Amino acid sequence: MAGRGELIAVIGDEDTVTGFLLGGIGELNKNRHPNFLVVEKDTTINEIEDTFRQFLHRDDIGIILINQYIAEMVRHALDAHQHSIPAVLEIPSKEHPYDAAKDSILRRARGMFTAEDLR
Amino acid sequence: MITPLHSSLGDRARPCLKKKKESGWAWWFTLVIPVLGRLRAQTIMKARLKGAQTGRNLLKKKSDALTLRFRQILKKIIETKMLMGKVMREAAFSLAEAKFTAGDFSTTVIQNVNKAQVKIRAKKDNVAGVTLPVFEHYHEGTDSYELTGLARGGEQLAKLKRNYAKAVELLVELASLQTSFVTLDEAIKITNRRVNAIEHVIIPRIERTLAYIITELDEREREEFYRLKKIQEKKKILKEKSEKDLEHRRAAGELLEPANLLAEEKDEDLLFE
């Protein structure tokens, strides 16, 4: 498994996606499918869920970055994903700062740390 | 003895179904062999108990090592997530600055996506026998956004790119921690399940069988003892009976005493005295 390059996918609002694309993670695969999705005000939840599921099934994506407020919308799809790869990371957006209480992963270990650790 | 309905020892535990031979020398053979069989079963059971206990201790140690690593990773995850919050804020800020000076370049950026420069590799790490996937990022190819911002705001854009590159590195590290976390969680659950299974199912079962075998051996011993005593009694009775019989016959004069060589005073065979 080592040696095979994998991509970082992004699902976020326009600013987040632009920033990360400038960071150099964007790619179109041979079917001209991008590894990112720009979520605007009129993007439906189904579209987001579909793209998320597609990213999960693609075997060349190792990490999926998703804005936390979008993750809230498709929380059920995130919670259903139990594998360790691809890793799903929740990142804050400009309007919504990071809230540790809503993070899928941290919720699994909720009993093991106290509020002091989060400060 | 009360015969058990179900026993892992089968017909050996039901003496009414065992065939007993009472004739001659073969008789004591059938005594010795079942007892030997029981003793062997006892040693086998003892060995199995020892094995199960050793296995349980090893698994407990593995579970402890995994839990320790798990907690370390969790702590690191929390720290890194807090740090990431800060880094993302900075990056978003520099994006706003760049937009201010360079105008809206989002559409051009999105249109010009071609090949990724930053990719990740998955490597394997090993903790107490559990393989954890670890991500490592690497660069390849050239920057496809070299020409963006040449018109205006080039410096802000360069700063922006640097900030986001830093954010990406941090996020890759965070992703590694997260995958380790999830994998360890599963592994710990499985190991704990095994420990509990051994502790609450297998070891009590072996201990019960061992106790049963020991009671069987004791029972056998008591049976033997009782049988020997009975035989002795019977022999005594038989002996007394035959002695009485002899007395009667002697008294009735039926018995001819054989000639006693030592008691005779005159020997008829001697011709000359």
Side-chain angles (χ1 to χ4, degrees):
Chain A
M1 226 182 138
R4 205 184 53 167
E6 289 177 351
L7 299 172
I8 305 174
V10 190
I11 300 179
D13 56 2
E14 199 181 1
D15 289 336
T16 316
V17 174
T18 314
F20 277 110
L21 286 178
L22 279 171
I25 65 167
E27 173 156 323
L28 295 172
N29 75 351
K30 38 191 195 329
N31 301 335
R32 308 292 294 172
H33 288 148
N35 65 336
F36 56 90
L37 174 70
V38 179
V39 171
E40 277 141 25
K41 281 191 276 284
D42 55 355
T43 321
T44 62
I45 297 188
N46 276 335
E47 247 183 86
I48 305 175
E49 224 183 288
D50 273 336
T51 324
F52 181 68
R53 294 234 167 88
Q54 267 173 38
F55 286 168
L56 285 181
H57 283 133
R58 276 174 67 167
D59 56 356
D60 59 347
I61 290 187
I63 302 180
I64 301 179
L65 303 173
I66 184 165
N67 274 131
Q68 196 160 41
Y69 77 97
I70 304 177
E72 277 300 304
M73 290 198 268
V74 289
R75 183 60 68 195
H76 51 282
L78 255 67
D79 284 340
H81 170 59
Q82 298 282 349
H83 298 289
S84 51
I85 292 184
V88 176
L89 282 176
E90 295 178 25
I91 52 182
S93 64
K94 230 168 44 179
E95 294 92 40
H96 307 91
Y98 183 67
D99 183 1
K102 295 204 205 125
D103 193 325
S104 265
I105 299 289
L106 288 185
R107 264 213 307 235
R108 274 168 87 151
R110 212 200 318 233
M112 291 183 151
F113 55 86
T114 61
E116 272 92 50
D117 297 339
L118 292 174
R119 228 169 289 134
Chain B
M1 59 174 276
I2 300 170
T3 62
L5 205 54
H6 298 291
S7 168
S8 59
L9 302 165
D11 268 351
R12 288 176 279 156
R14 301 187 186 98
C16 52
L17 299 177
K18 270 193 292 202
K19 295 209 179 78
K20 282 202 188 124
K21 287 205 285 198
E22 297 276 349
S23 56
W25 59 272
W27 173 68
W28 68 272
F29 238 99
T30 59
L31 279 184
V32 169
I33 288 182
V35 173
L36 278 184
R38 284 275 163 34
L39 280 174
R40 217 161 75 85
Q42 187 186 27
T43 26
I44 292 177
M45 278 294 144
K46 274 198 177 147
R48 273 168 78 171
L49 182 66
K50 193 106 200 305
Q53 281 169 340
T54 317
R56 194 244 339 244
N57 292 342
L58 280 174
L59 276 179
K60 264 219 178 116
K61 283 206 186 104
K62 175 174 174 179
S63 173
D64 288 340
L66 289 178
T67 313
L68 186 69
R69 183 66 179 247
F70 187 69
R71 282 180 192 270
Q72 284 173 348
I73 288 185
L74 183 61
K75 210 161 143 227
K76 208 142 182 271
I77 284 184
I78 295 178
E79 281 173 20
T80 319
K81 287 224 172 201
M82 295 297 129
L83 184 62
M84 175 204 61
K86 271 198 284 225
V87 168
M88 289 297 300
R89 258 206 312 274
E90 251 182 62
F93 207 56
S94 62
L95 180 70
E97 276 182 6
K99 266 204 183 159
F100 185 64
T101 44
D104 191 15
F105 46 81
S106 328
T107 31
T108 25
V109 166
I110 293 175
Q111 306 296 20
N112 284 341
V113 171
N114 189 13
K115 276 248 159 277
Q117 292 92 50
V118 180
K119 286 205 192 160
I120 46 175
R121 256 192 293 257
K123 286 205 301 215
K124 299 258 174 213
D125 194 17
N126 189 311
V127 168
V130 178
T131 45
L132 303 175
V134 171
F135 290 118
E136 184 191 51
H137 72 288
Y138 67 96
H139 291 271
E140 79 172 355
T142 57
D143 187 3
S144 40
Y145 297 112
E146 260 174 324
L147 303 177
T148 330
L150 257 189
R152 347 168 243 172
E155 193 197 310
Q156 270 79 12
L157 220 70
K159 194 166 99 171
L160 172 63
K161 281 197 247 181
R162 270 199 307 276
N163 278 340
Y164 268 96
K166 209 166 63 172
V168 166
E169 278 176 30
L170 190 69
L171 285 170
V172 167
E173 201 189 304
L174 192 56
S176 299
L177 287 174
Q178 216 167 275
T179 46
S180 311
F181 180 88
V182 171
T183 318
L184 271 182
D185 196 23
E186 284 299 316
I188 288 178
K189 283 203 183 103
I190 291 178
T191 314
N192 282 342
R193 236 178 263 149
R194 279 208 200 122
V195 170
N196 287 337
I198 294 184
E199 181 125 17
H200 297 289
V201 175
I202 295 186
I203 287 186
R205 201 190 286 166
I206 297 181
E207 278 176 350
R208 274 200 298 271
T209 315
L210 206 54
Y212 175 77
I213 292 177
I214 291 177
T215 55
E216 275 281 296
L217 284 171
D218 283 344
E219 184 90 34
R220 265 254 145 201
E221 229 179 273
R222 281 201 297 277
E223 274 182 22
E224 290 319 304
F225 191 60
Y226 182 71
R227 198 181 284 138
L228 282 171
K229 287 205 82 169
K230 270 281 176 199
I231 291 169
Q232 275 181 349
E233 276 178 30
K234 275 256 159 81
K235 279 205 170 150
K236 220 164 88 176
I237 293 174
L238 274 174
K239 193 163 169 221
E240 283 177 358
K241 198 157 158 253
S242 71
E243 291 225 317
K244 271 211 186 112
D245 218 26
L246 216 61
E247 282 298 321
H248 281 157
R249 285 169 66 183
R250 201 171 295 154
E254 288 170 13
L255 214 60
L256 281 165
E257 292 271 8
N260 194 350
L261 204 58
L262 300 168
E264 215 172 72
E265 292 180 3
K266 191 163 170 290
D267 193 3
E268 292 174 347
D269 292 326
L270 282 178
L271 291 173
F272 305 105
E273 283 249 321

